[in-house]
C-alpha cells in the first residue's frame, strides 16, 4: 500500500503536498502514468458545453494540483444542477484513453483519487457544509422536499441521505411475492438478458462479469446459468440515482438475505465515457457496465419465494441487489442488520421495501440481478408512475444528448 493511503489527508494543503511528493518520487509510478495519460487525451466531442469541458492536453503536475484545489473549493458552492460538472471535467483525462484509464484505476493514481474522495467526504461531513444544505434546499424547492422527513441536516452528508416522510413511497404488492419494486428513486434500464458465468461478452453493446461483480460469490451461478446448469442466464437491470434524489436503497423483494457484503474495495474513477452514462437520451441505455465490477460496491443476495399464475408456490429463487459507488462516492453503507452475512451465517429475514443501506455524496447506481426467465421485461400497471414532466433545465443537464448521440430514425412502414 502506498504512503498516501496509509493515512488519508486531512486538509487540501496536505493532499496537494502528497500529490507533488508522489510526482517527484522516482520509486513511484505516478509521474509516468500521469504523463502517459496526458499524452493520450482526446479532443472533446462536437457540441460539448464549455461548463463541463476541461482541456487536459499539455497539462503538467501544477495543472492537476490547481484543478484539485479549484474542485475542492467549489465543493461547498455547487448547486443541484452543477453537482456533476467537475466530475465530468476530470473524466476527460480518461475519455476513450487507455493510458488515462490506467492512471485513474491503478497504482498511485488510484490512491490519489481515493485520498481526494475521502477528503471530499470530510468536507461534506464538516459543519461548514451547512451552507451547501441551504443552497440545495432552495434549489430543490418545497414540492420536492415535502417527500422527506425533516431531520438533522447540520451537514451536507446528513442532508444527502435524508429520510423519506412516512407514506411518501408506499410499497406496491407487499403481500404479493411476484411483484418487484424499485430499490430507490432511479432511472431504470434493462442491461442484458443473457448473463454469463465469468467471461464478459457483448450483448446489446453491454458487458458484465457477474461473478466479479458479486465478489466471487457462490451465488453468481444462479444468475448466469439456467436450472440445468447450462451457460446463458438471467437479467440485469440498472437503477441509476440522480444527484438530487433519494440516496437510500431498499429490498426489491422480500425473503431471506443469504449473503451480503458492503466492503468490496475498488476504484473510484475510471468510466471510459462518463458523459455517455447520463447523456444517452435514456440514462444509461446501451452503456458498457463491465467496468462497474471494479468499482467500490457491495451486494445483497435474497432468497425469495416464487408463485405461479394462480398464486401457488413455485419454488424459491434468488434476486441480487448490487449498490455501486461511482466517482466521488466513497461510501456504500449497509444498515447493521445486513452487514457481512457470509459463509455459514444464518439467513436474515428481509421485507420488501426494507432499507438495506445508503450512499453518501457522489454518483451511484444499483444493479439488480434476476434468474433466467424470471424478469423478462419492465411491466407496469395503469395508474403507476412512469416518470415526471421535467423542468427543462434539469432535463437538459441529465437526460438530453443532442450533442453526442445521433437520433434514432425508424424507417417508414412500406
Amino acid at each position: 500500500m502506498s504512503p498516501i493511503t496509509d493515512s488519508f489527508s486531512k486538509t487540501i494543503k496536505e493532499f496537494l503536498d502528497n500529490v507533488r511528493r508522489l510526482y517527484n518520487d522516482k520509486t513511484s509510478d505516478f509521474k509516468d502514468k500521469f504523463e502517459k495519460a496526458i499524452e493520450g487525451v482526446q479532443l472533446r466531442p462536437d457540441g460539448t458545453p464549455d461548463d463541463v469541458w476541461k482541456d487536459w492536453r499539455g497539462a503538467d503536475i501544477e495543472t492537476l494540483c490547481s484543478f484539485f484545489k479549484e474542485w475542492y473549493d467549489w465543493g461547498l458552492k455547487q448547486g443541484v444542477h452543477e453537482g456533476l460538472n467537475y466530475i465530468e471535467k476530470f473524466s476527460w483525462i480518461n475519455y476513450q484513453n487507455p493510458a488515462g484509464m490506467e492512471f485513474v484505476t491503478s497504482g498511485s493514481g488510484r490512491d490519489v483519487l481515493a485520498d481526494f474522495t475521502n477528503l471530499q467526504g470530510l468536507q461534506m461531513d464538516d459543519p461548514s457544509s451547512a451552507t451547501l444544505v441551504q443552497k440545495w434546499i432552495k434549489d430543490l424547492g418545497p414540492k420536492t422536499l415535502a417527500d422527506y422527513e425533516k431531520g438533522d441536516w447540520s451537514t451536507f452528508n446528513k442532508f444527502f441521505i435524508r429520510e423519506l416522510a412516512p407514506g411518501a413511497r408506499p410499497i406496491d404488492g407487499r403481500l404479493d411475492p411476484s411483484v418487484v419494486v424499485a430499490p430507490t428513486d432511479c432511472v431504470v434500464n434493462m442491461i442484458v438478458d443473457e448473463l454469463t458465468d465469468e467471461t464478459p461478452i457483448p450483448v446489446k453493446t453491454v458487458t458484465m462479469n457477474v461473478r466479479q461483480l458479486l465478489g466471487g460469490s457462490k451465488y453468481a451461478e444462479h444468475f448466469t446459468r439456467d436450472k440445468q446448469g447450462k451457460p446463458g442466464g438471467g437479467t440485469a437491470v440498472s437503477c441509476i440515482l440522480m444527484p438530487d434524489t433519494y440516496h437510500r436503497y431498499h429490498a426489491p423483494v422480500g425473503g431471506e438475505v443469504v449473503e451480503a457484503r458492503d466492503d468490496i474495495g475498488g476504484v473510484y474513477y475510471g468510466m471510459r465515457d462518463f458523459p455517455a452514462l447520463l447523456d444517452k437520451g435514456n440514462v444509461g441505455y446501451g452503456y458498457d457496465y463491465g467496468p462497474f465490477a471494479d468499482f467500490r460496491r457491495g451486494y445483497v443476495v435474497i432468497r425469495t419465494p416464487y408463485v405461479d399464475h394462480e398464486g401457488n408456490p413455485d419454488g424459491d429463487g434468488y434476486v441480487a441487489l448490487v449498490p455501486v459507488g461511482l466517482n466521488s462516492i466513497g461510501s456504500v453503507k449497509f444498515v447493521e442488520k445486513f452487514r457481512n452475512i457470509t459463509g455459514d451465517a444464518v439467513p436474515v429475514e428481509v421485507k420488501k421495501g426494507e432499507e438495506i443501506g445508503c450512499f453518501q455524496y457522489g454518483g451511484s447506481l444499483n444493479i439488480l440481478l434476476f434468474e433466467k426467465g424470471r424478469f423478462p421485461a419492465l411491466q407496469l400497471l395503469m395508474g403507476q408512475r412512469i416518470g415526471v414532466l421535467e423542468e427543462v433545465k434539469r432535463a437538459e443537464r441529465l437526460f438530453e444528448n443532442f450533442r453526442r448521440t445521433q437520433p434514432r430514425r425508424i424507417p417508414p412502414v412500406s
Side-chain angles (χ1 to χ4, degrees), residues 23-96:
Y23 183 82
N24 292 312
D25 183 351
K26 297 186 183 303
T27 66
S28 169
D29 63 357
F30 186 82
K31 179 178 181 179
D32 181 61
K33 287 188 174 181
F34 172 69
E35 291 181 347
K36 286 180 179 177
I38 296 305
E39 289 174 4
V41 167
Q42 302 296 303
L43 295 173
R44 63 170 156 179
D46 291 341
T48 302
D50 289 339
D51 63 347
V52 297
W53 167 247
K54 168 71 175 176
D55 189 352
W56 289 98
R57 290 173 297 170
D60 58 19
I61 187 60
E62 289 308 316
T63 306
L64 182 65
C65 287
S66 294
F67 181 80
F68 277 131
K69 178 64 165 62
E70 184 181 325
W71 189 353
Y72 181 83
D73 290 344
W74 174 82
L76 296 183
K77 302 174 184 177
Q78 62 180 286
V80 168
H81 303 293
E82 297 82 42
L84 297 173
N85 284 15
Y86 269 78
I87 293 175
E88 187 162 352
K89 286 181 178 180
F90 183 78
S91 76
W92 298 113
I93 287 181
N94 56 278
Y95 171 74
Q96 305 295 351

Side-chain angles (χ1 to χ4, degrees), residues 245-301:
T245 57
Y246 182 59
H247 270 72
R248 296 174 185 261
Y249 39 90
H250 299 246
V253 296
E256 294 180 321
V257 174
V258 296
E259 191 170 275
R261 290 180 59 190
D262 68 349
D263 62 344
I264 304 176
V267 302
Y268 296 84
Y269 291 77
M271 298 165 68
R272 191 177 302 278
D273 189 356
F274 172 74
L277 177 68
L278 297 181
D279 296 320
K280 279 289 185 184
N282 187 9
V283 176
Y285 179 81
Y287 198 78
D288 181 0
Y289 287 80
F292 294 160
D294 296 320
F295 273 79
R296 175 78 175 87
R297 64 197 184 282
Y299 68 86
V300 174
V301 179

Side-chain angles (χ1 to χ4, degrees), residues 378-407:
L378 300 176
Q379 303 177 65
L380 299 171
L381 296 177
M382 188 282 297
Q384 293 184 322
R385 169 174 164 161
I386 61 173
V388 298
L389 299 177
E390 288 285 0
E391 287 185 89
V392 173
K393 62 181 179 181
R394 184 174 188 271
E396 287 180 342
R397 178 66 188 95
L398 295 179
F399 296 95
E400 302 297 335
N401 190 31
F402 301 117
R403 68 182 190 265
R404 296 190 183 92
T405 300
Q406 294 298 316

Side-chain angles (χ1 to χ4, degrees), residues 94-281:
N94 56 278
Y95 171 74
Q96 305 295 351
N97 178 6
M101 290 288 290
E102 178 74 10
F103 171 62
V104 301
T105 62
S106 66
S108 55
R110 170 183 163 177
D111 290 344
V112 163
L113 289 171
D115 192 17
F116 188 68
T117 298
N118 185 73
L119 189 62
Q120 287 179 307
L122 295 177
Q123 185 182 43
M124 296 304 172
D125 282 333
D126 191 272
S128 63
S129 65
T131 57
L132 186 57
V133 174
Q134 295 308 311
K135 181 174 178 55
W136 275 56
I137 287 175
K138 181 179 179 180
D139 287 352
L140 289 172
K143 178 178 178 296
T144 297
L145 289 176
D147 284 350
Y148 299 94
E149 190 165 30
K150 185 67 171 73
D152 177 8
W153 293 351
S154 57
T155 69
F156 186 76
N157 263 335
K158 290 179 178 179
F159 170 76
F160 196 71
I161 58 171
R162 55 195 179 276
E163 297 186 72
L164 290 169
R169 300 289 187 277
I171 304 302
D172 193 27
R174 281 187 179 275
L175 302 180
D176 184 350
S178 68
V179 173
V180 178
V181 300
T184 188
D185 291 3
C186 55
V187 176
V188 177
N189 274 288
M190 301 291 283
I191 301 177
V192 57
D193 54 11
E194 283 294 329
L195 298 175
T196 57
D197 199 5
E198 292 185 9
T199 305
I201 63 170
V203 181
K204 299 176 184 175
T205 73
V206 174
T207 62
M208 180 171 292
N209 184 327
V210 175
R211 188 172 298 279
Q212 186 176 348
L213 191 70
L214 294 179
S217 169
K218 64 181 181 181
Y219 290 98
E221 65 183 30
H222 290 280
F223 310 108
T224 61
R225 295 176 177 268
D226 62 19
K227 292 300 183 183
Q228 287 71 46
K230 296 179 180 179
T235 305
V237 176
S238 74
C239 304
I240 301 174
L241 286 74
M242 296 293 100
D244 55 355
T245 57
Y246 182 59
H247 270 72
R248 296 174 185 261
Y249 39 90
H250 299 246
V253 296
E256 294 180 321
V257 174
V258 296
E259 191 170 275
R261 290 180 59 190
D262 68 349
D263 62 344
I264 304 176
V267 302
Y268 296 84
Y269 291 77
M271 298 165 68
R272 191 177 302 278
D273 189 356
F274 172 74
L277 177 68
L278 297 181
D279 296 320
K280 279 289 185 184

